[in-house]
Amino acid sequence: MKIIKYMLICLHLLLFSCGIYIIFTEITSRNTKVILCFVISLLLLLNGGTYLYFRKRFTNFSDEICNYTENILHGNPVEKLYNKETLTSKMVMELEKVESIVFSQLSESKKEKKEIQKMISEITHQIKTPVSNIKMYCEMFDQPDISLAEAQKSVQIIKQQLIKLEFLLEALIKSSRLEGEMIRLEMENSKIIETLAVAVNNVIQKADSKHIDMSVECRPYVQVRHDMKWTAEAIENILDNAIKYTNENGKIAIAVNTSEMYTEIKVTDTGKGIAAAHRNDIFKRFYREKTAAKTEGLGLGLYLARQIIHLQGGYISVRSEEGCGSCFSICLPNKS
Amino acid sequence: MMKLERNNNAACIRKVAKSNVMSNRLYSLFTVLTIILAISLTAGITLVQQGKEIKEQKILANMQQVGIGNLSKKQIASLEKEASAECVLPYKNSSSFRMGDTKIEAVYYEPSELITTYQLTEGNVPTDYNEIAVDKNIQSALGISLKLGDTITFELPANKQEEFKVVGFTDNAETGTYYFYVSREYAETGSLFAGTSFAAMVRINNADEMSLPDFENCVYKLASDYGISRSNIYFNSRFTASLIKGSGLGIILLAALFIAAASAIVIYSIFYLSVSNRVSQLGQLQTIGMTEKQLKRMIRLEGGYLSAVGIPIGLFIGVLFSYFIEPQGMTLLNTLVICIAVAAAGVIMVQFSIRKPGKIASRISPIEAARYSKENKKEHQEKPKKHKHLSPFILAKENGEKDRVKQILTISSLAIGGLLFMVGTTFVSSWNPEAFAREGNLEQGEFYIAFDYNTLITSKPYGISEYQINKPFSDELLSEIENIDGVTAVTKEYRTAGIIEYGDLKMEIPIIPISEENKKEVMDTLGSEWTYEKLAANDAMIILGTDAQTETYHSCPEAGETVTFDWFDGMEHTTTLPIAGSSKWSMNEGYYLTPETIKKFWGDMDVTASLSVKTSDYKHTGTRIENNLIDILSEHSELAMQTLQETLLTTSNIIKNTRMQVYGLASFVILFSVLNLINTLISRISTRRKELAMLESIGMEQKQIKKMLFFESIFLALPNILITGVLGSVAGYILVTALNKNGLSYFQYVFPIVPLILYIVSMAALPVIISSLCLKIQSRSSLVERIRTL
Amino acid sequence: MNILSTNNLTKYYGFEPLLVKALDGITIEIEAGSFTSIVGTSGSGKSTLLHMLGGLDTPTSGSVIVDGQELAGMGKNELTIFRRRKIGFIFQNYNLIPNLTTYDNIVLPIELDGRCVDEEYLKEIVNVLGLKDKLQRKPNKLSGGQQQRAAIARALAAKPAIILADEPTGNLDSHTSQEVIGLLQTMAKKFYQTIVMITHNDEIAQATDRTIRIEDGKIVESRW
């Protein structure tokens, strides 16, 4: 572009000097000289005028774009410029696209902040009760006329509350680690049945206490590339949920199917099911169903499970009918 | 388009267009070929025509524009001083004499720089009294050998002899007479020039910028200023023809338009086919986001790239072609201007022909890309058809009906070519060379004996009548000729000459006696008050063909007027006579008097003007009779003979040349339509690659497929052959009949059976050959590959 | 916020008694940033719905609103430019331009708009899709799977707000299909893109945020 600019300037100078030369040195009639003078000055004016005109158009264009950008920032769509084959239209539509991407990232961020706020308030709420209980029972020890039995009872209760606090801390640490991607998953091709065994063992007691029948259907040789420890934990969280929301004498069935792309671990329960509207919410952080407010739990289990499975390239989906039961489907990819 | 704000997405369109052109080899090739053909033809024809004109101008620049005869030395001297005359070159022709069989004439030209007279191949211009420059071809005619410095003796009439010294040689074209050039001294005093007066070759200042009437008026003014009779003014017909500008250009424009139309049709159909084969690609582009404007632009750019390749090549070929045909006529400026004009016309023509396909391309809806349908079927109610037994023939018929438009386009372009071909060949084959040769003087016999044209050049004021008083067509001559073995008839033509004074004009005119043959035509021009007797009594004259007379003399008496008539029967006479009737146009132009009047004026003078000798068996006895006649006529130097044989030679040449031009033109037009045909055939078969492979895979034999394609070709070729054959024959017949009606009786309808058969065979064979070739090429790749390709 | 919505969309072909109801009253709303799959038996109208959403075909009745703009009110050129800037298409039959190189094919929508190619981003997609050393080849020199992946790259390269895909993994093996779905999901999250995908593969449908089932031109199920 620079070359063209210099060329144009040179040409102009050349023509100008030719004109001057002819006017002042060549022997032509006076009329011709006058006309030539006139023509040269006209050309100069025109050139100058043209430059000024295009400079103005250029600055106008830039002003227009700044104006539109302001509009877009305020969220006002510039409809008159949509879908036209012009430079301005192209720019405006790109700007709007960028704005919506940034806006969505912003709202995600805001949402997360809100979540964190909620989390902090829930945590404080969760901590408050055990701490105040510990405080209360500690004060009881100070009482001189406390019986041994009462003292032992107090110690038990304090122990319980401490366990609760510990549980809470652990869950928080896990979740933050997963969030910060500080976890390194050790993927190994190992038998899924062993992972299942670990998970089932951890929850079998709770199931038995509610007389819930647990069954596992899995061919022993099925292998999947996965991190045993974390996957077991994910399955455990799901089983936990299943047990929690299934009534006495219910059934929980675990089945493993392999298909072309994924290996599916299906956990079917006969619990109360999940309302259609909340089916997506259950995987969200700290989500707790209203009726479960009294029971234990933080609402992090399914969220953590989903994170773990996603990190391994799989996904969890759920099918459920209120009053009949739910079916959680964990799919791990079959990497060749 | 010129908006400042316009989106800067033009580069992409250029890229896609270029890629399209490079990948659609077939279409690009055919389009470029068509463009090359059209441009080279147009440029070639225009350059050659312009070259001919320029060459003519160059030649005319050194020729006289008008010749003036019978000038005295004084007149010449004053003419030379005339301001409007650029050049006045005196010259003299002697009467010709014979030495043996050779006719020789002496000429004197004063040397001049402005007018080219004769050109020496060797030696010098004669200066002394007996120095001459002679046509070197006279050596072979006389059987002698000469070199510079030799003397040559000429045997002049009346048994005189004269010796000349050869100082120079020329190389003249063969005309039947051999010329030698003398010095001025000899011209003024030599025996050969006794009694002949000077003539002058004149060029007028700025004559080439005048219009024809202006030029003629200028010359006539000159004549009247210097007391020169109009009958002594001879315009150079080549020069006067060159003043009539524009006729050549008109024909060129017509030819160019025709070529443009033919190539436009071909390019249109090529692009139409190309677009309809690219339906899915074009729909895709629209889906991805190419607007209508961009699509149209893309198609136009494709045409532009092809033009950018084809036009320069075409121009190159055209320039080369004209360089070989007319090298002297080419100037740089001229060539450049014509090339630019033809290139511009070519670009416009290509863009015009692809406009419609471009529009069609932009109208394609994107859904067609998504659905990927190859055939654009029109939505019409499908009537339940009866199940037909399928056969290659039926399949072929169905395939043809699928694409009516393409079919019709191809057939019509072929038919135009074929029609032109038929008309052209009919024209050429119906042109009877012998009838053509006999036209004019040889209608009544194979030999025509009349006054020597060369003799008449140094014209006597009263024309042939001054020779007729010597009764050259004597009874002896007649009986001598009649006695030649094989001569069946000797017919006399009666005509003499006189001078009419009309206004300020003095015109030498032919006088024809009213006879049984022309009586009706003559009497038809008369009003009711005239009877034959009255004509004779009043010595009235009838003029047939006043238009032609007006053209030559610029005015002509009309019926009802009176003119002064001068004639010569040994002595000059003059009288006035009335014009009883006239007709504007006639095959037998002339001035008619009753035989009574003629007898009154010329008495017993024999008014025979020519003899026509008819033979019984010209083919076998012609040469012998000719030799006999030459012997007889050797005594009569004022008479000359025209034979059928020599005329036949010239006319055959003319016919041959015309035939080549006609065939040339027709074959070019056919070439266009053949290109179109080949394109249609090849593209049809290549787009049905998958379909044909499919047919093969379900069990259709190669033989059956070939049969199906054969029938499809027939459906293309048959209508063309029928139209060409039927319409073409009819058109040809009409043309010949029309020519006949207009008096060109030498066109006798001959059905051009051989060319037609050749045409039919090639038109029928061509599709078959191409189809089988295509099939062969396709079957090289495996069946699976062919089915899989999209 | 809904980026795609239809209201009682119908598309009928032909006349009684041969009336074909390709779409028979479809009303859906698709959230911005979501990954939706459309399933159904062949001939159920899935492709027709997708064409409607992309403005390729006009409905017999009903409206289609994309990113706040009503498609019915737009002229042909406006629709084309709208598609160019907002929508990326992946078709069942790849539909690459046969006479352009793969690279040219991929950047075609961008160049048609006169925009600059984001070379880094392009490199990333091309690497994931395994087309790195195939860029200068013409489509007829690529295998079916490679052609499909090139078509996917084309849809992603311009970073359109909406991606409409018709069986994008139809010709791919399971491993590549997973990668492709993964790629779509990642890129979509990064650039806040909405994906609507037709598939007959239930497993893939499971991996999406929402599945809509269509039968006989009507919605029969809509699952998250």
Side-chain angles (χ1 to χ4, degrees), chain A residues 20-224:
Chain A
I20 297 287
Y21 177 73
I22 293 179
I23 289 180
F24 285 114
T25 57
E26 288 292 315
I27 308 166
T28 45
S29 72
R30 188 148 189 274
N31 276 341
T32 326
K33 289 201 179 177
V34 169
I35 292 176
L36 207 56
C37 236
F38 182 68
V39 166
I40 289 184
S41 11
L42 198 66
L43 277 174
L44 276 174
L45 266 170
L46 274 173
N47 260 331
T50 314
Y51 170 76
L52 286 173
Y53 170 74
F54 278 107
R55 171 83 188 142
K56 190 82 175 68
R57 286 289 298 257
F58 203 58
T59 48
N60 275 354
F61 177 69
S62 141
D63 288 340
E64 245 181 64
I65 299 297
C66 289
N67 198 10
Y68 291 137
T69 317
E70 296 275 326
N71 271 343
I72 292 169
L73 276 178
H74 290 306
N76 302 332
V78 190
E79 269 176 20
K80 65 175 187 220
L81 280 180
Y82 285 168
N83 306 324
K84 299 261 181 331
E85 191 78 277
T86 61
L87 295 168
T88 331
S89 172
K90 184 167 73 172
M91 283 191 72
V92 163
M93 286 176 87
E94 269 294 288
L95 284 171
E96 283 199 357
K97 185 163 93 179
V98 169
E99 186 265 346
S100 68
I101 292 178
V102 168
F103 182 78
S104 75
Q105 287 173 350
L106 205 67
S107 6
E108 278 291 316
S109 189
K110 275 196 192 156
K111 247 200 283 181
E112 285 191 7
K113 254 207 200 156
K114 257 204 209 151
E115 293 287 334
I116 292 178
Q117 295 290 46
K118 230 171 66 170
M119 180 171 85
I120 291 179
S121 69
E122 290 231 350
I123 290 171
T124 29
H125 182 79
Q126 297 278 356
I127 291 180
K128 244 202 221 166
T129 325
V131 165
S132 59
N133 278 348
I134 293 174
K135 208 168 151 199
M136 190 169 75
Y137 282 98
C138 271
E139 278 175 11
M140 269 189 147
F141 267 132
D142 277 343
Q143 302 269 350
D145 52 346
I146 186 167
S147 69
L148 193 62
E150 279 183 331
Q152 279 182 328
K153 195 171 136 207
S154 310
V155 171
Q156 276 298 91
I157 291 173
I158 292 173
K159 266 197 192 154
Q160 247 184 8
Q161 299 298 313
L162 281 173
I163 289 173
K164 224 181 179 172
L165 282 172
E166 228 178 7
F167 178 64
L168 182 63
L169 265 173
E170 258 186 59
L172 283 175
I173 291 172
K174 243 183 250 172
S175 135
S176 79
R177 271 196 179 162
L178 276 171
E179 285 285 287
E181 285 162 25
M182 289 192 281
I183 303 287
R184 213 178 257 128
L185 294 171
E186 278 164 32
M187 309 286 280
E188 258 179 24
N189 229 7
S190 37
K191 298 207 177 78
I192 193 69
I193 195 161
E194 291 172 13
T195 317
L196 280 175
V198 171
V200 169
N201 274 336
N202 286 345
V203 299
I204 194 75
Q205 261 194 329
K206 275 186 238 167
D208 283 341
S209 65
K210 274 175 105 171
H211 304 288
I212 293 173
D213 172 38
M214 281 189 65
S215 64
V216 176
E217 205 184 299
C218 171
R219 276 164 298 186
Y221 55 79
V222 177
Q223 283 193 338
V224 172

Side-chain angles (χ1 to χ4, degrees), chain B residues 264-278:
Chain B
I265 292 182
V266 175
I267 295 182
Y268 173 88
S269 60
I270 292 177
F271 266 82
Y272 184 88
L273 278 174
S274 152
V275 163
S276 43
N277 281 331
R278 282 195 271 166

Side-chain angles (χ1 to χ4, degrees), chain B residues 587-659:
Chain B
M587 288 283 287
N588 311 304
E589 304 156 7
Y591 297 72
Y592 288 78
L593 291 174
T594 60
E596 288 80 358
T597 314
I598 291 181
K599 184 138 173 124
K600 195 157 106 184
F601 289 168
W602 280 279
D604 287 324
M605 185 179 88
D606 178 14
V607 291
T608 312
S610 74
L611 297 175
S612 294
V613 181
K614 189 158 173 55
T615 62
S616 55
D617 188 4
Y618 183 70
K619 232 196 242 172
H620 295 117
T621 59
T623 331
R624 175 183 55 80
I625 297 181
E626 186 173 335
N627 288 331
N628 288 345
L629 286 169
I630 292 180
D631 282 335
I632 297 174
L633 288 176
S634 59
E635 301 289 315
H636 299 264
S637 59
E638 72 276 21
L639 298 175
M641 178 171 70
Q642 182 185 352
T643 69
L644 183 63
Q645 192 149 345
E646 66 194 29
T647 320
L648 205 60
L649 272 171
T650 345
T651 55
S652 304
N653 261 338
I654 296 177
I655 296 181
K656 204 197 298 185
N657 279 335
T658 319
R659 175 181 292 148

Side-chain angles (χ1 to χ4, degrees), chain B residues 507-564:
Chain B
M507 322 188 287
E508 187 228 308
I509 45 134
I511 302 286
I512 306 175
I514 303 178
S515 63
E516 285 306 315
E517 292 156 6
N518 52 42
K519 192 164 182 181
K520 181 167 190 312
E521 193 183 347
V522 168
M523 303 300 280
D524 277 344
T525 66
L526 300 175
S528 50
E529 69 274 23
W530 286 100
T531 61
Y532 183 80
E533 291 70 33
K534 196 165 174 202
L535 282 177
N538 288 318
D539 298 330
M541 181 184 280
I542 297 108
I543 310 177
L544 292 183
T546 55
D547 276 352
Q549 299 297 319
T550 317
E551 225 177 275
T552 329
Y553 290 107
H554 295 278
S555 78
C556 189
E558 293 282 320
E561 295 180 310
T562 321
V563 296
T564 313

Side-chain angles (χ1 to χ4, degrees), chain B residues 21-38:
Chain B
V21 160
M22 301 290 262
S23 56
N24 275 338
R25 290 281 160 80
L26 197 67
Y27 295 108
S28 308
L29 187 68
F30 275 115
T31 312
V32 169
L33 274 177
T34 312
I35 296 178
I36 291 179
L37 199 62

